[in-house]
Each structure stands twice: as structure tokens, then as C-alpha cells.
Amino acid sequence: MATAQELSTFLAEVERRAYRQTAYAVRDEHAALDIVQDAMLKLSEKYGARPVEEFPMLFQRILQNTMRDFWRRQKVRNLWTSLLSSFGGHSADDDDEHDPLETMETGQRSEDEPEAQLERSQTIAIIERAIEKLPARQREAFLMRYWEDMDVAETAAAMGCSEGSVKTHCSRAVHALAATLQHYGFNQQGLKKPGAGS
């Protein structure tokens, strides 16, 4: 079993190399630092007492899983910021079985623009609060499809309902969330109108 000193030495040796690897993969220095620190913490908490020879393999597996989680969150957040354009002129009553995830477009501005980053973070905070207020079945379907990246059939099986019901739940959830964004002053392109309140 590894000692606390051996664990500390391993983490010190691997940190810089892991950071370079992660920064290259995610193209975001701040996110890379968070990912590496998260991976190091997970190794310490869950596997710190394992033999030191196992650390390199364990750490790489944890790091790769943490990066995958990051990419999944980024994908979901990109989708969330495009909710308003996902249904265009549709209304919830007109097309209950329309699955917005199947037609969603992510035509947002460059992530490098500070204004776009601020708007995106504000949008995410608004939507996260709105998700908590959705009816249970709508919230369940939405999170499985948008967060867990499950397809319609998988979601229907997990929820014990028809695929049509999944599409209905998702469509209604998206319309509810889009209405929340409109209330906060976002337009049909998912961009905040000048002078709109937060």
C-alpha cells in the first residue's frame, strides 16, 4: 500500500504533464486546471491507499473520465443556450411529439468572446433554476435526453413509457424553458435583448 508521501510525490510528478495533456485536449487553460485537480482529488480520495505502482494507470483512467464528463457538460450547455431556436415557430400545443434535440442547432458566438461567456453563464443559471420547477416526468425526460445523452428509445425504456411520450415530455420541457428565457429577455436566437433585465 502506498504511503501518504508516495501519493504526494506521484501527484507532484504527474501534475504538470497531466495539465499539458488536458489543456491540449480541452483548449481551455482554466478548465484544464480544474479537470486535473479534480482527477488528483479523486485519486487521493478513492485510491490513495492502493499500491504506488497502480497510480499511473488509475490516474490516467480518472483523468480521461473527468475529461469526458467535461465534454458532456459542454455539449449540454451549448444545447441549453440554443433552446429558443430549437423550435422556431412551433408552439407546445401544435407539435407535442416534436423532439427538439433531434433538430437543435448551436449557432452561438465564439466561446472566446467575454460577452458570450457571460451571457452563456447567465443563461445556464436561469435554465438550471427553471429545470428544478418542471413537472417530474418532463424533468426526467429532459435530463435523460439532454444531460445523459440517451436516445428516445433508451429514455422510453428507462421511464417505462412510449417513445411518443418521451418526445412529448421533452417538447413541453423545452417550451417551458424557452418561455422562461423569453421572460428574462432572450430573443429567438437565444441572445439577450439589449437592456433586458436579468
Side-chain angles (χ1 to χ4, degrees), residues 91-146:
S91 74
D93 294 330
D94 290 341
D95 197 4
D96 255 357
E97 289 197 9
H98 166 70
D99 185 1
L101 192 57
E102 294 176 354
T103 57
M104 187 165 291
E105 299 175 0
T106 54
Q108 61 192 41
R109 289 172 291 175
S110 168
E111 293 186 5
D112 293 331
E113 297 180 25
E115 184 181 353
Q117 290 181 357
L118 177 61
E119 285 184 357
R120 188 165 54 253
S121 66
Q122 291 173 337
T123 303
I124 290 166
I126 291 168
I127 293 174
E128 285 175 341
R129 289 195 298 270
I131 286 174
E132 295 175 0
K133 298 178 182 178
L134 288 173
R137 295 291 276 177
Q138 289 182 25
R139 182 170 61 250
E140 187 179 5
F142 179 85
L143 291 176
M144 285 185 184
R145 291 284 285 124
Y146 287 69

Side-chain angles (χ1 to χ4, degrees), residues 41-84:
L41 185 61
K42 288 176 181 175
L43 178 71
S44 300
E45 290 179 343
K46 297 182 179 181
Y47 305 103
R50 297 289 284 271
V52 68
E53 299 80 22
E54 296 182 14
F55 285 168
M57 182 185 68
L58 287 169
F59 181 74
Q60 271 305 312
R61 185 185 306 154
I62 293 169
L63 185 63
Q64 292 301 318
N65 287 339
T66 307
M67 277 195 272
R68 276 195 289 273
D69 289 342
F70 168 80
W71 285 120
R72 185 171 64 176
R73 287 194 301 270
Q74 289 300 104
K75 176 184 176 182
V76 171
R77 290 182 178 198
N78 288 343
L79 288 171
W80 287 359
T81 58
S82 299
L83 279 170
L84 283 173

Side-chain angles (χ1 to χ4, degrees), residues 1-12 44 48-50 52 55:
M1 298 298 178
T3 65
Q5 182 58 48
E6 286 174 327
L7 174 62
S8 179
T9 299
F10 171 78
L11 293 176
S44 300
R50 297 289 284 271
V52 68
F55 285 168

Side-chain angles (χ1 to χ4, degrees), residues 145-198:
R145 291 284 285 124
Y146 287 69
W147 181 257
E148 298 298 334
D149 205 20
M150 295 167 66
D151 63 27
V152 174
E154 291 170 333
T155 304
M159 294 180 64
C161 64
S162 69
E163 293 185 17
S165 293
V166 169
K167 293 181 179 182
T168 296
H169 290 315
C170 281
S171 178
R172 290 179 177 174
V174 167
H175 284 286
L177 297 175
T180 298
L181 290 179
Q182 287 176 323
H183 173 75
Y184 280 91
F186 288 80
N187 62 27
Q188 286 291 323
Q189 284 71 49
L191 304 176
K192 203 164 188 180
K193 298 174 185 176
S198 56

